[in-house]
């Protein structure tokens, strides 16, 4: 293992804008990506994650940064050092991965960007912890034990905060956000493929507004 600091100072929670939501954007073109991002922003969202699942994902990151400078734009589905560096060059302001390996963690950390590597087991959390990371992505949340698993992990990993993603929607958003070890919730329920394909931007805005209202209510109650 390379020499790394015991605790990284650049953490994702310190840069998240708006409510504790991290909607996923998967777009086929930069123009589509900007339209999705604008619809989310109009609904009160302040941070988004552009996933590397299309050929135009990097261009989409750059386009959103240019068109919506007040929106925090990160990159997801980081699987390699090449992905991490390309996303930083495209203008990504943070990185998210679906999994963790020593090489991937080191590559993401080396970019200097805030990050949330993907974990699903205590061993993966412990590995990230050894690298100085105290914020991770819990994925796939619903298949990995969901709310009950996060509650169980809170007693062992008391300094670790999670971004649960996978199987989360308006029906259980409040339950996840109410957990003390959850700092933000990610997912694609705010940008369903059918609405994107139909260019129903107003409906995406409505979904975002509903979610942001829930997030703000939970934060106020806390």
């Amino acid at each position: 293992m390379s020499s790394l600091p015991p605790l990284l100072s650049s953490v994702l929670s310190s840069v998240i804008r708006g409510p504790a939501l991290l909607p996923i954007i998967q777009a086929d073109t930069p123009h589509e990506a900007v339209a999705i991002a604008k619809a989310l922003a109009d609904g009160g969202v302040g941070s988004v994650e552009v996933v590397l699942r299309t050929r135009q994902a990097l261009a989409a990151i750059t386009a959103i940064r240019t068109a919506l400078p007040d929106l925090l734009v990160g990159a997801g589905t980081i699987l390699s050092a090449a992905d991490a560096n390309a996303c930083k060059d495209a203008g990504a302001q943070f990185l998210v991965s679906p999994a963790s390996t020593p090489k991937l963690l080191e590559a993401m950390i080396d970019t200097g960007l805030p990050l949330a590597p993907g974990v699903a087991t205590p061993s993966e959390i412990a590995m990230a912890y050894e690298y100085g990371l105290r914020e991770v992505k819990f994925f796939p949340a619903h298949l990995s034990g969901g709310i009950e698993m996060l509650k169980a992990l809170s007693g062992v990993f008391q300094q670790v905060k999670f971004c649960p993603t996978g199987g989360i929607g308006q029906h259980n958003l409040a339950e996840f956000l109410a957990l003390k070890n959850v700092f933000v919730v990610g997912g694609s329920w705010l940008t369903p493929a059918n609405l994107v394909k139909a260019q129903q931007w107003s409906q995406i805005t409505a979904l975002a507004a509903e979610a942001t209202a829930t997030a703000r209510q939970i934060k106020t109650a806390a």
Side-chain angles (χ1 to χ4, degrees), residues 49-160:
E49 174 190 336
V50 178
V51 291
L52 300 187
R53 301 177 189 171
T54 67
R55 293 182 178 180
Q56 293 295 308
L58 294 175
I61 292 170
T62 304
I64 297 172
R65 287 293 314 276
T66 301
L68 301 165
D70 292 333
L71 196 65
L72 184 75
V73 184
T77 323
I78 304 297
L79 297 176
S80 66
D83 286 344
N85 292 326
C87 288
K88 181 177 182 179
D89 291 343
Q93 294 164 288
F94 63 89
L95 303 176
V96 180
S97 67
S100 295
T101 68
K103 286 185 178 180
L104 182 58
L105 289 177
E106 291 180 15
M108 294 173 71
I109 291 169
D110 285 346
T111 66
L113 296 175
L115 66 147
V119 301
T121 67
S123 293
E124 291 170 332
I125 298 169
M127 179 174 63
Y129 193 92
E130 290 178 351
Y131 275 87
L133 297 167
R134 302 295 182 265
E135 294 180 353
V136 293
K137 172 180 176 176
F138 184 53
F139 175 82
H142 65 307
L143 295 177
S144 302
I147 290 170
E148 293 306 314
M149 183 62 164
L150 286 168
K151 288 180 179 178
L153 292 170
S154 67
V156 180
F157 299 100
Q158 297 182 10
Q159 293 180 295
V160 178

